[in-house]
Amino acid sequence: MNPDAGLRERKKAKTRAELTEAALRQFTERGFDETTVEDIVGACDVSPRTFFRYFDSKEDVVIGFFDDLGAELVELLAGRPPDEAPFAAARAAFESFADIYQERRNRVCAVSQLAYETPPIRARLLDKHARWENGLARELARRMQTDPETDPRPRLIAAVSLAAFSTAVRGWVADGGRGELSPLVSANLRAVENGLDRTSVPSA
Amino acid sequence: MNPDAGLRERKKAKTRAELTEAALRQFTERGFDETTVEDIVGACDVSPRTFFRYFDSKEDVVIGFFDDLGAELVELLAGRPPDEAPFAAARAAFESFADIYQERRNRVCAVSQLAYETPPIRARLLDKHARWENGLARELARRMQTDPETDPRPRLIAAVSLAAFSTAVRGWVADGGRGELSPLVSANLRAVENGLDRTSVPSA
DNA sequence: GGAAATGTGACAACCGCTGCCATTTCGCAT
DNA sequence: ATGCGAAATGGCAGCGGTTGTCACATTTCC
């Protein structure tokens, strides 16, 4: 926790972290619907009203974790050399992005598991992905020197590469996040890059 | 409305249709959050309690329209010749599926527009797509004679082809659903089929 | 130290949604 | 036609998520 910040900032960060942890723990133990906001705040000495000052909704406690990741993904893409072909650049960005997932394996797996069994959370997560897709499409359009509103190509590349990435993550999580994510991501994106009826994706 | 069915069935279908229409109209006029369930039932001489016997949630009135479409999509894929390559079969299925969208242009556009500006609805719609993806993956696995749980390929093809389709729909809807959807879908899926950094998608 | 900004708690209210039970309506056999 | 069982409905009470409001406490800054 940044010690330079004032007391106020530090306190806020602490409560936020406490709330997130308490919520995540109870959600996974008891289930999302079975855990009320009062249950969550009860473990943190905070009023229900304050909970909603930190999070827009109960779901946001879970999803909030993914909030900043979209920006990182776009930055990774923006950092690729300009002469790289668009999809190849996206693939490289996702390969690095996979490492971020790997680092936070526990959180990613916990949230994914939660999303798997809780429709509203799953829906929210998908919506978050859709926002990433927007960011990706915009950055790809910039890189391709085209208008993302009229030219469908950047959006298509964004959507398809993200789908390939998500599919890899899904498999990784289903396996308990044991192996390495990056190679799975790479394999999926290369398969798409080369045309799906041409290539054989390793079936392991 | 099927006249063979008893009075009961006909009545139910009628109420359901009325509720859907009233809801959709008010949602688009006044906004989703600004329209309460009481507003909806007020236009149909139905009690709020009964509304929730027809729909699981307020959102379901909007999304319900897409409920049966997933099954149709899977059937279209199942109807493709068995020797067709998997992605090519998916492409063909989506091309036909596009015609179903085109037939119901008004509904599709209205719901999409609503989804665009109403996060919870957008999320639900994405979740519905995710279910379609499951169905597609299963059917592709059957066709490829492989296990959808261990072999990532059918899921990858399902996810990617669906993403390409959805992107085409998005463009079509953004244009007011004026042109033909099927060619857009075909172009997107062919682009993916051939490898995204190789082909040029027509930028119109 | 004190004023101004900021975070918090308590209360009330709205709305989506559900369980429950009484009432009405329909389908069907007689 | 009639009456009986099944199915649909309405009304009510209640839970839980979410928001507005206002008074109070705490931190920041001068």
Side-chain angles (χ1 to χ4, degrees):
Chain A
M1 204 175 305
N2 180 5
D4 295 356
L7 174 58
R8 220 159 210 163
E9 296 294 323
R10 267 179 291 145
K11 245 183 175 174
K12 267 169 59 178
K14 190 179 155 200
T15 358
R16 189 186 180 86
E18 279 181 3
L19 283 171
T20 307
E21 199 195 345
L24 229 47
R25 181 165 39 78
Q26 299 193 47
F27 287 165
T28 49
E29 280 176 5
R30 210 186 322 163
F32 181 78
D33 291 327
E34 288 68 28
T35 306
T36 73
V37 172
E38 273 194 75
D39 292 334
I40 301 171
V41 299
C44 304
D45 277 317
V46 173
S47 81
R49 187 63 186 90
T50 295
F51 174 90
F52 286 104
R53 290 198 178 93
Y54 279 89
F55 305 97
D56 285 342
S57 71
K58 212 174 89 176
E59 295 157 10
D60 273 10
V61 198
V62 185
I63 301 303
F65 168 60
F66 287 91
D67 267 347
D68 312 321
L69 267 55
E72 294 197 47
L73 174 59
V74 173
E75 278 173 31
L76 284 173
L77 176 58
R80 300 299 309 174
D83 57 316
E84 213 169 19
F87 194 90
R91 171 171 56 76
F94 275 115
E95 285 168 7
S96 306
F97 195 54
D99 293 332
I100 299 181
Y101 267 51
Q102 185 104 37
E103 281 168 23
R104 324 202 181 168
R105 191 202 126 188
N106 289 339
R107 269 290 163 82
V108 171
C109 287
V111 173
S112 301
Q113 178 62 25
L114 215 46
Y116 181 72
E117 59 198 18
T118 315
I121 295 199
R122 184 175 57 223
R124 288 295 301 266
L125 204 51
L126 291 167
D127 189 52
K128 178 106 353 199
H129 286 178
R131 286 169 204 245
W132 293 0
E133 186 186 309
N134 289 336
L136 280 180
R138 215 174 306 131
E139 176 58 26
L140 282 167
R142 201 186 58 74
R143 154 182 296 266
M144 297 164 72
Q145 301 177 5
T146 184
D147 178 7
E149 302 304 321
T150 60
D151 187 345
R153 291 173 302 163
R155 168 138 254 129
L156 177 60
I157 297 177
V160 165
S161 58
L162 184 54
F165 171 78
S166 297
T167 304
V169 172
R170 182 193 184 107
W172 180 66
V173 168
D175 197 47
R178 266 185 285 279
E180 295 264 323
L181 174 58
S182 191
L184 297 178
V185 169
S186 184
N188 270 11
L189 281 150
R190 280 176 198 279
V192 176
E193 201 169 350
N194 295 325
L196 272 169
D197 278 338
R198 288 211 186 89
T199 329
S200 61
V201 191
S203 47
Chain B
M1 202 177 306
N2 180 4
D4 295 356
L7 174 58
R8 217 158 211 163
E9 296 295 322
R10 266 178 290 144
K11 242 185 177 175
K12 267 169 59 177
K14 190 179 157 203
T15 335
R16 190 184 180 87
E18 279 180 1
L19 283 172
T20 306
E21 200 195 346
L24 229 46
R25 181 164 39 78
Q26 299 193 48
F27 287 165
T28 49
E29 279 176 6
R30 209 185 325 162
F32 180 78
D33 291 326
E34 288 68 30
T35 306
T36 73
V37 172
E38 270 193 77
D39 292 334
I40 301 171
V41 299
C44 305
D45 277 317
V46 173
S47 81
R49 188 64 186 89
T50 296
F51 173 91
F52 286 104
R53 289 200 177 92
Y54 280 87
F55 305 97
D56 284 342
S57 72
K58 212 174 89 176
E59 295 158 10
D60 273 10
V61 197
V62 184
I63 300 303
F65 168 60
F66 287 91
D67 267 347
D68 312 321
L69 266 57
E72 294 196 47
L73 174 58
V74 173
E75 277 174 31
L76 284 173
L77 176 59
R80 300 300 309 174
D83 57 317
E84 211 168 19
F87 194 90
R91 171 172 55 76
F94 275 115
E95 286 169 7
S96 306
F97 194 54
D99 292 332
I100 299 182
Y101 268 51
Q102 185 103 39
E103 281 169 23
R104 323 200 182 169
R105 192 203 124 188
N106 288 340
R107 270 290 163 82
V108 171
C109 287
V111 172
S112 301
Q113 177 63 25
L114 214 46
Y116 182 72
E117 60 198 18
T118 314
I121 295 198
R122 184 175 58 223
R124 288 294 302 266
L125 204 51
L126 291 167
D127 190 52
K128 178 110 346 202
H129 285 179
R131 286 168 204 246
W132 293 0
E133 186 187 311
N134 288 338
L136 280 181
R138 215 173 307 131
E139 175 58 26
L140 281 167
R142 202 186 57 74
R143 153 183 297 265
M144 297 163 73
Q145 301 178 3
T146 184
D147 178 7
E149 302 304 320
T150 61
D151 187 344
R153 292 174 300 165
R155 168 138 254 131
L156 178 60
I157 297 176
V160 165
S161 58
L162 184 55
F165 171 77
S166 297
T167 304
V169 172
R170 182 193 184 106
W172 179 65
V173 168
D175 196 48
R178 267 185 284 280
E180 296 263 324
L181 175 58
S182 191
L184 297 177
V185 170
S186 184
N188 270 9
L189 280 150
R190 280 177 198 278
V192 176
E193 201 169 349
N194 294 326
L196 271 168
D197 278 339
R198 289 210 186 89
T199 329
S200 60
V201 191
S203 48

Tab-separated table of all heavy atoms in Angstrom, chain A residues 122-169:
chain	number	residue	atom	x	y	z
A	122	ARG	N	-21.331	-14.155	-14.602
A	122	ARG	CA	-20.832	-14.535	-15.922
A	122	ARG	C	-21.184	-13.450	-16.937
A	122	ARG	O	-20.341	-13.018	-17.731
A	122	ARG	CB	-21.463	-15.863	-16.330
A	122	ARG	CG	-20.953	-16.411	-17.635
A	122	ARG	CD	-21.537	-17.787	-17.889
A	122	ARG	NE	-22.987	-17.784	-17.900
A	122	ARG	CZ	-23.763	-18.689	-17.318
A	122	ARG	NH1	-23.220	-19.678	-16.657
A	122	ARG	NH2	-25.073	-18.613	-17.403
A	123	ALA	N	-22.427	-12.989	-16.874
A	123	ALA	CA	-22.870	-11.972	-17.818
A	123	ALA	C	-22.036	-10.700	-17.681
A	123	ALA	O	-21.604	-10.108	-18.669
A	123	ALA	CB	-24.349	-11.669	-17.606
A	124	ARG	N	-21.802	-10.302	-16.448
A	124	ARG	CA	-21.007	-9.095	-16.225
A	124	ARG	C	-19.590	-9.234	-16.770
A	124	ARG	O	-19.013	-8.305	-17.318
A	124	ARG	CB	-20.952	-8.757	-14.730
A	124	ARG	CG	-22.246	-8.222	-14.185
A	124	ARG	CD	-22.593	-6.885	-14.809
A	124	ARG	NE	-21.582	-5.887	-14.574
A	124	ARG	CZ	-21.590	-5.023	-13.582
A	124	ARG	NH1	-22.593	-5.029	-12.753
A	124	ARG	NH2	-20.624	-4.161	-13.434
A	125	LEU	N	-19.044	-10.416	-16.590
A	125	LEU	CA	-17.696	-10.673	-17.060
A	125	LEU	C	-17.635	-10.587	-18.581
A	125	LEU	O	-16.707	-9.990	-19.163
A	125	LEU	CB	-17.253	-12.058	-16.579
A	125	LEU	CG	-15.765	-12.329	-16.463
A	125	LEU	CD1	-15.087	-11.237	-15.656
A	125	LEU	CD2	-15.532	-13.685	-15.813
A	126	LEU	N	-18.623	-11.152	-19.225
A	126	LEU	CA	-18.680	-11.088	-20.681
A	126	LEU	C	-18.799	-9.646	-21.142
A	126	LEU	O	-18.206	-9.246	-22.145
A	126	LEU	CB	-19.865	-11.913	-21.194
A	126	LEU	CG	-19.725	-13.420	-21.011
A	126	LEU	CD1	-21.056	-14.121	-21.251
A	126	LEU	CD2	-18.663	-13.960	-21.959
A	127	ASP	N	-19.562	-8.874	-20.401
A	127	ASP	CA	-19.729	-7.471	-20.760
A	127	ASP	C	-18.400	-6.730	-20.633
A	127	ASP	O	-18.053	-5.889	-21.475
A	127	ASP	CB	-20.782	-6.831	-19.860
A	127	ASP	CG	-21.150	-5.438	-20.327
A	127	ASP	OD1	-21.475	-5.299	-21.519
A	127	ASP	OD2	-21.102	-4.494	-19.516
A	128	LYS	N	-17.679	-7.078	-19.601
A	128	LYS	CA	-16.348	-6.468	-19.437
A	128	LYS	C	-15.469	-6.812	-20.632
A	128	LYS	O	-14.778	-5.956	-21.186
A	128	LYS	CB	-15.726	-6.957	-18.128
A	128	LYS	CG	-14.350	-6.453	-17.871
A	128	LYS	CD	-14.218	-5.389	-16.808
A	128	LYS	CE	-15.474	-4.842	-16.243
A	128	LYS	NZ	-15.351	-3.555	-15.567
A	129	HIS	N	-15.498	-8.052	-21.057
A	129	HIS	CA	-14.738	-8.451	-22.236
A	129	HIS	C	-15.139	-7.633	-23.454
A	129	HIS	O	-14.294	-7.234	-24.251
A	129	HIS	CB	-14.950	-9.932	-22.523
A	129	HIS	CG	-14.226	-10.828	-21.576
A	129	HIS	ND1	-14.303	-12.197	-21.632
A	129	HIS	CD2	-13.417	-10.554	-20.535
A	129	HIS	CE1	-13.560	-12.725	-20.672
A	129	HIS	NE2	-13.037	-11.744	-19.983
A	130	ALA	N	-16.418	-7.387	-23.567
A	130	ALA	CA	-16.899	-6.611	-24.707
A	130	ALA	C	-16.272	-5.220	-24.704
A	130	ALA	O	-15.961	-4.659	-25.750
A	130	ALA	CB	-18.427	-6.520	-24.679
A	131	ARG	N	-16.058	-4.680	-23.506
A	131	ARG	CA	-15.422	-3.369	-23.438
A	131	ARG	C	-13.970	-3.453	-23.855
A	131	ARG	O	-13.431	-2.564	-24.518
A	131	ARG	CB	-15.524	-2.801	-22.030
A	131	ARG	CG	-16.932	-2.313	-21.721
A	131	ARG	CD	-17.083	-2.012	-20.252
A	131	ARG	NE	-18.477	-2.092	-19.856
A	131	ARG	CZ	-19.185	-1.050	-19.419
A	131	ARG	NH1	-18.618	0.129	-19.319
A	131	ARG	NH2	-20.441	-1.187	-19.089
A	132	TRP	N	-13.316	-4.518	-23.441
A	132	TRP	CA	-11.940	-4.714	-23.895
A	132	TRP	C	-11.907	-4.744	-25.418
A	132	TRP	O	-11.012	-4.186	-26.047
A	132	TRP	CB	-11.386	-6.035	-23.354
A	132	TRP	CG	-11.206	-6.048	-21.878
A	132	TRP	CD1	-11.472	-5.033	-21.012
A	132	TRP	CD2	-10.708	-7.121	-21.085
A	132	TRP	NE1	-11.184	-5.416	-19.731
A	132	TRP	CE2	-10.704	-6.693	-19.745
A	132	TRP	CE3	-10.272	-8.408	-21.369
A	132	TRP	CZ2	-10.288	-7.495	-18.691
A	132	TRP	CZ3	-9.852	-9.219	-20.331
A	132	TRP	CH2	-9.860	-8.766	-19.003
A	133	GLU	N	-12.901	-5.422	-25.978
A	133	GLU	CA	-12.960	-5.529	-27.440
A	133	GLU	C	-13.009	-4.144	-28.069
A	133	GLU	O	-12.329	-3.888	-29.069
A	133	GLU	CB	-14.192	-6.343	-27.829
A	133	GLU	CG	-14.290	-6.638	-29.311
A	133	GLU	CD	-15.602	-7.320	-29.655
A	133	GLU	OE1	-15.950	-8.316	-29.003
A	133	GLU	OE2	-16.283	-6.838	-30.579
A	134	ASN	N	-13.787	-3.257	-27.476
A	134	ASN	CA	-13.838	-1.884	-27.996
A	134	ASN	C	-12.459	-1.239	-27.979
A	134	ASN	O	-12.035	-0.639	-28.969
A	134	ASN	CB	-14.799	-1.042	-27.158
A	134	ASN	CG	-16.242	-1.440	-27.388
A	134	ASN	OD1	-16.578	-1.996	-28.432
A	134	ASN	ND2	-17.087	-1.166	-26.419
A	135	GLY	N	-11.784	-1.352	-26.844
A	135	GLY	CA	-10.457	-0.760	-26.727
A	135	GLY	C	-9.496	-1.343	-27.747
A	135	GLY	O	-8.741	-0.613	-28.398
A	136	LEU	N	-9.545	-2.647	-27.883
A	136	LEU	CA	-8.682	-3.313	-28.854
A	136	LEU	C	-8.964	-2.813	-30.262
A	136	LEU	O	-8.037	-2.500	-31.026
A	136	LEU	CB	-8.904	-4.826	-28.811
A	136	LEU	CG	-8.229	-5.624	-27.718
A	136	LEU	CD1	-8.588	-7.094	-27.861
A	136	LEU	CD2	-6.713	-5.431	-27.778
A	137	ALA	N	-10.241	-2.762	-30.599
A	137	ALA	CA	-10.619	-2.359	-31.955
A	137	ALA	C	-10.107	-0.957	-32.251
A	137	ALA	O	-9.583	-0.685	-33.340
A	137	ALA	CB	-12.136	-2.426	-32.112
A	138	ARG	N	-10.225	-0.075	-31.272
A	138	ARG	CA	-9.785	1.304	-31.476
A	138	ARG	C	-8.275	1.346	-31.720
A	138	ARG	O	-7.801	1.997	-32.652
A	138	ARG	CB	-10.169	2.155	-30.259
A	138	ARG	CG	-10.561	3.574	-30.631
A	138	ARG	CD	-11.082	4.326	-29.406
A	138	ARG	NE	-12.173	3.608	-28.747
A	138	ARG	CZ	-12.243	3.361	-27.445
A	138	ARG	NH1	-11.275	3.774	-26.655
A	138	ARG	NH2	-13.264	2.715	-26.938
A	139	GLU	N	-7.546	0.615	-30.886
A	139	GLU	CA	-6.099	0.624	-31.030
A	139	GLU	C	-5.669	-0.021	-32.356
A	139	GLU	O	-4.743	0.466	-33.018
A	139	GLU	CB	-5.461	-0.099	-29.841
A	139	GLU	CG	-3.953	-0.255	-29.920
A	139	GLU	CD	-3.218	1.073	-30.055
A	139	GLU	OE1	-3.762	2.111	-29.600
A	139	GLU	OE2	-2.123	1.079	-30.643
A	140	LEU	N	-6.350	-1.079	-32.727
A	140	LEU	CA	-6.029	-1.719	-34.008
A	140	LEU	C	-6.313	-0.775	-35.164
A	140	LEU	O	-5.540	-0.704	-36.135
A	140	LEU	CB	-6.838	-3.011	-34.170
A	140	LEU	CG	-6.313	-4.214	-33.394
A	140	LEU	CD1	-7.351	-5.337	-33.352
A	140	LEU	CD2	-5.018	-4.730	-34.018
A	141	ALA	N	-7.402	-0.054	-35.062
A	141	ALA	CA	-7.751	0.895	-36.124
A	141	ALA	C	-6.664	1.960	-36.249
A	141	ALA	O	-6.241	2.308	-37.355
A	141	ALA	CB	-9.102	1.539	-35.824
A	142	ARG	N	-6.209	2.449	-35.113
A	142	ARG	CA	-5.135	3.445	-35.126
A	142	ARG	C	-3.914	2.885	-35.862
A	142	ARG	O	-3.351	3.497	-36.753
A	142	ARG	CB	-4.770	3.818	-33.689
A	142	ARG	CG	-4.059	5.160	-33.533
A	142	ARG	CD	-3.621	5.369	-32.093
A	142	ARG	NE	-2.736	4.330	-31.606
A	142	ARG	CZ	-1.453	4.214	-31.969
A	142	ARG	NH1	-0.930	5.070	-32.806
A	142	ARG	NH2	-0.714	3.234	-31.471
A	143	ARG	N	-3.587	1.674	-35.454
A	143	ARG	CA	-2.420	1.015	-36.034
A	143	ARG	C	-2.603	0.758	-37.529
A	143	ARG	O	-1.637	0.788	-38.292
A	143	ARG	CB	-2.206	-0.288	-35.268
A	143	ARG	CG	-1.510	-1.412	-35.964
A	143	ARG	CD	-1.452	-2.598	-35.028
A	143	ARG	NE	-0.664	-2.307	-33.869
A	143	ARG	CZ	0.644	-2.591	-33.751
A	143	ARG	NH1	1.278	-3.163	-34.745
A	143	ARG	NH2	1.282	-2.307	-32.648
A	144	MET	N	-3.811	0.492	-37.949
A	144	MET	CA	-4.073	0.219	-39.371
A	144	MET	C	-4.418	1.491	-40.127
A	144	MET	O	-4.738	1.442	-41.320
A	144	MET	CB	-5.232	-0.779	-39.493
A	144	MET	CG	-4.942	-2.142	-38.874
A	144	MET	SD	-6.432	-3.140	-38.616
A	144	MET	CE	-6.828	-3.585	-40.305
A	145	GLN	N	-4.390	2.594	-39.403
A	145	GLN	CA	-4.703	3.887	-40.011
A	145	GLN	C	-6.044	3.860	-40.736
A	145	GLN	O	-6.149	4.184	-41.917
A	145	GLN	CB	-3.583	4.316	-40.974
A	145	GLN	CG	-2.247	4.424	-40.272
A	145	GLN	CD	-1.138	4.777	-41.248
A	145	GLN	OE1	-1.382	5.021	-42.426
A	145	GLN	NE2	0.085	4.814	-40.746
A	146	THR	N	-7.044	3.447	-39.999
A	146	THR	CA	-8.374	3.375	-40.589
A	146	THR	C	-9.401	3.807	-39.551
A	146	THR	O	-9.068	3.950	-38.375
A	146	THR	CB	-8.676	1.949	-41.079
A	146	THR	OG1	-9.934	1.934	-41.735
A	146	THR	CG2	-8.716	0.978	-39.908
A	147	ASP	N	-10.620	3.979	-39.979
A	147	ASP	CA	-11.672	4.458	-39.082
A	147	ASP	C	-12.456	3.283	-38.502
A	147	ASP	O	-13.086	2.536	-39.247
A	147	ASP	CB	-12.620	5.391	-39.863
A	147	ASP	CG	-13.760	5.885	-38.989
A	147	ASP	OD1	-13.733	5.614	-37.768
A	147	ASP	OD2	-14.672	6.532	-39.521
A	148	PRO	N	-12.410	3.120	-37.184
A	148	PRO	CA	-13.065	1.964	-36.569
A	148	PRO	C	-14.578	1.982	-36.703
A	148	PRO	O	-15.232	0.959	-36.460
A	148	PRO	CB	-12.646	2.068	-35.095
A	148	PRO	CG	-12.325	3.493	-34.875
A	148	PRO	CD	-11.804	4.012	-36.184
A	149	GLU	N	-15.147	3.110	-37.075
A	149	GLU	CA	-16.601	3.178	-37.202
A	149	GLU	C	-17.078	2.625	-38.540
A	149	GLU	O	-18.152	2.035	-38.635
A	149	GLU	CB	-17.080	4.629	-37.047
A	149	GLU	CG	-16.696	5.270	-35.720
A	149	GLU	CD	-17.177	4.469	-34.520
A	149	GLU	OE1	-18.293	3.945	-34.570
A	149	GLU	OE2	-16.401	4.348	-33.537
A	150	THR	N	-16.282	2.838	-39.578
A	150	THR	CA	-16.742	2.430	-40.905
A	150	THR	C	-16.032	1.167	-41.395
A	150	THR	O	-16.607	0.387	-42.141
A	150	THR	CB	-16.512	3.559	-41.924
A	150	THR	OG1	-15.097	3.835	-41.973
A	150	THR	CG2	-17.238	4.814	-41.496
A	151	ASP	N	-14.789	0.982	-40.969
A	151	ASP	CA	-14.023	-0.181	-41.422
A	151	ASP	C	-14.227	-1.338	-40.448
A	151	ASP	O	-13.868	-1.232	-39.281
A	151	ASP	CB	-12.542	0.195	-41.498
A	151	ASP	CG	-11.721	-0.920	-42.116
A	151	ASP	OD1	-12.230	-2.052	-42.215
A	151	ASP	OD2	-10.576	-0.645	-42.515
A	152	PRO	N	-14.813	-2.441	-40.900
A	152	PRO	CA	-15.123	-3.542	-39.977
A	152	PRO	C	-13.900	-4.365	-39.574
A	152	PRO	O	-13.974	-5.141	-38.623
A	152	PRO	CB	-16.102	-4.407	-40.780
A	152	PRO	CG	-15.737	-4.151	-42.201
A	152	PRO	CD	-15.243	-2.737	-42.269
A	153	ARG	N	-12.776	-4.190	-40.257
A	153	ARG	CA	-11.657	-5.107	-40.025
A	153	ARG	C	-11.074	-5.028	-38.620
A	153	ARG	O	-10.899	-6.070	-37.976
A	153	ARG	CB	-10.566	-4.858	-41.070
A	153	ARG	CG	-10.996	-5.273	-42.468
A	153	ARG	CD	-9.969	-4.872	-43.498
A	153	ARG	NE	-9.737	-3.419	-43.475
A	153	ARG	CZ	-8.689	-2.834	-44.022
A	153	ARG	NH1	-7.767	-3.563	-44.625
A	153	ARG	NH2	-8.561	-1.521	-43.960
A	154	PRO	N	-10.759	-3.850	-38.098
A	154	PRO	CA	-10.184	-3.839	-36.744
A	154	PRO	C	-11.096	-4.495	-35.714
A	154	PRO	O	-10.632	-5.246	-34.852
A	154	PRO	CB	-9.987	-2.348	-36.446
A	154	PRO	CG	-10.726	-1.612	-37.488
A	154	PRO	CD	-10.830	-2.496	-38.675
A	155	ARG	N	-12.373	-4.209	-35.827
A	155	ARG	CA	-13.318	-4.811	-34.878
A	155	ARG	C	-13.352	-6.328	-35.022
A	155	ARG	O	-13.428	-7.055	-34.021
A	155	ARG	CB	-14.711	-4.200	-35.119
A	155	ARG	CG	-15.827	-4.884	-34.438
A	155	ARG	CD	-16.810	-3.883	-33.846
A	155	ARG	NE	-16.666	-3.839	-32.409
A	155	ARG	CZ	-16.511	-2.749	-31.692
A	155	ARG	NH1	-16.485	-1.576	-32.285
A	155	ARG	NH2	-16.375	-2.818	-30.394
A	156	LEU	N	-13.282	-6.792	-36.242
A	156	LEU	CA	-13.303	-8.240	-36.467
A	156	LEU	C	-12.074	-8.890	-35.850
A	156	LEU	O	-12.156	-9.916	-35.163
A	156	LEU	CB	-13.365	-8.539	-37.970
A	156	LEU	CG	-13.318	-10.020	-38.360
A	156	LEU	CD1	-14.487	-10.779	-37.753
A	156	LEU	CD2	-13.306	-10.185	-39.880
A	157	ILE	N	-10.930	-8.293	-36.093
A	157	ILE	CA	-9.697	-8.841	-35.529
A	157	ILE	C	-9.760	-8.827	-34.013
A	157	ILE	O	-9.389	-9.803	-33.342
A	157	ILE	CB	-8.475	-8.050	-36.029
A	157	ILE	CG1	-8.357	-8.205	-37.551
A	157	ILE	CG2	-7.207	-8.521	-35.357
A	157	ILE	CD1	-7.224	-7.389	-38.159
A	158	ALA	N	-10.246	-7.729	-33.456
A	158	ALA	CA	-10.356	-7.627	-32.004
A	158	ALA	C	-11.264	-8.725	-31.453
A	158	ALA	O	-10.898	-9.450	-30.514
A	158	ALA	CB	-10.889	-6.253	-31.614
A	159	ALA	N	-12.437	-8.855	-32.046
A	159	ALA	CA	-13.413	-9.817	-31.542
A	159	ALA	C	-12.887	-11.241	-31.640
A	159	ALA	O	-12.989	-12.029	-30.689
A	159	ALA	CB	-14.731	-9.683	-32.319
A	160	VAL	N	-12.310	-11.554	-32.770
A	160	VAL	CA	-11.862	-12.930	-32.998
A	160	VAL	C	-10.665	-13.284	-32.115
A	160	VAL	O	-10.616	-14.360	-31.520
A	160	VAL	CB	-11.533	-13.125	-34.490
A	160	VAL	CG1	-10.742	-14.399	-34.697
A	160	VAL	CG2	-12.808	-13.144	-35.309
A	161	SER	N	-9.725	-12.369	-32.003
A	161	SER	CA	-8.554	-12.682	-31.181
A	161	SER	C	-8.953	-12.795	-29.709
A	161	SER	O	-8.468	-13.681	-28.996
A	161	SER	CB	-7.475	-11.614	-31.364
A	161	SER	OG	-7.974	-10.338	-31.026
A	162	LEU	N	-9.847	-11.925	-29.280
A	162	LEU	CA	-10.310	-12.004	-27.893
A	162	LEU	C	-11.046	-13.315	-27.640
A	162	LEU	O	-10.886	-13.938	-26.587
A	162	LEU	CB	-11.222	-10.805	-27.592
A	162	LEU	CG	-11.726	-10.678	-26.158
A	162	LEU	CD1	-10.575	-10.680	-25.169
A	162	LEU	CD2	-12.563	-9.411	-26.001
A	163	ALA	N	-11.825	-13.748	-28.607
A	163	ALA	CA	-12.536	-15.023	-28.465
A	163	ALA	C	-11.543	-16.170	-28.326
A	163	ALA	O	-11.717	-17.062	-27.485
A	163	ALA	CB	-13.462	-15.250	-29.656
A	164	ALA	N	-10.485	-16.127	-29.133
A	164	ALA	CA	-9.473	-17.184	-29.069
A	164	ALA	C	-8.773	-17.156	-27.710
A	164	ALA	O	-8.504	-18.203	-27.109
A	164	ALA	CB	-8.466	-17.015	-30.199
A	165	PHE	N	-8.477	-15.954	-27.229
A	165	PHE	CA	-7.850	-15.818	-25.920
A	165	PHE	C	-8.746	-16.370	-24.815
A	165	PHE	O	-8.321	-17.181	-23.992
A	165	PHE	CB	-7.530	-14.343	-25.657
A	165	PHE	CG	-7.071	-14.062	-24.253
A	165	PHE	CD1	-5.770	-14.354	-23.859
A	165	PHE	CD2	-7.932	-13.504	-23.325
A	165	PHE	CE1	-5.342	-14.101	-22.564
A	165	PHE	CE2	-7.510	-13.242	-22.028
A	165	PHE	CZ	-6.210	-13.539	-21.648
A	166	SER	N	-9.998	-15.934	-24.828
A	166	SER	CA	-10.925	-16.362	-23.784
A	166	SER	C	-11.091	-17.872	-23.771
A	166	SER	O	-11.220	-18.481	-22.695
A	166	SER	CB	-12.289	-15.696	-23.988
A	166	SER	OG	-12.174	-14.297	-23.875
A	167	THR	N	-11.096	-18.447	-24.948
A	167	THR	CA	-11.234	-19.898	-25.015
A	167	THR	C	-10.042	-20.585	-24.364
A	167	THR	O	-10.190	-21.581	-23.639
A	167	THR	CB	-11.373	-20.348	-26.477
A	167	THR	OG1	-12.473	-19.667	-27.074
A	167	THR	CG2	-11.601	-21.846	-26.567
A	168	ALA	N	-8.863	-20.030	-24.600
A	168	ALA	CA	-7.670	-20.591	-23.968
A	168	ALA	C	-7.758	-20.460	-22.451
A	168	ALA	O	-7.478	-21.406	-21.710
A	168	ALA	CB	-6.417	-19.888	-24.492
A	169	VAL	N	-8.172	-19.295	-21.975
A	169	VAL	CA	-8.290	-19.080	-20.538
A	169	VAL	C	-9.274	-20.074	-19.937
A	169	VAL	O	-9.029	-20.661	-18.889
A	169	VAL	CB	-8.735	-17.635	-20.229
A	169	VAL	CG1	-9.036	-17.482	-18.752
A	169	VAL	CG2	-7.677	-16.650	-20.669
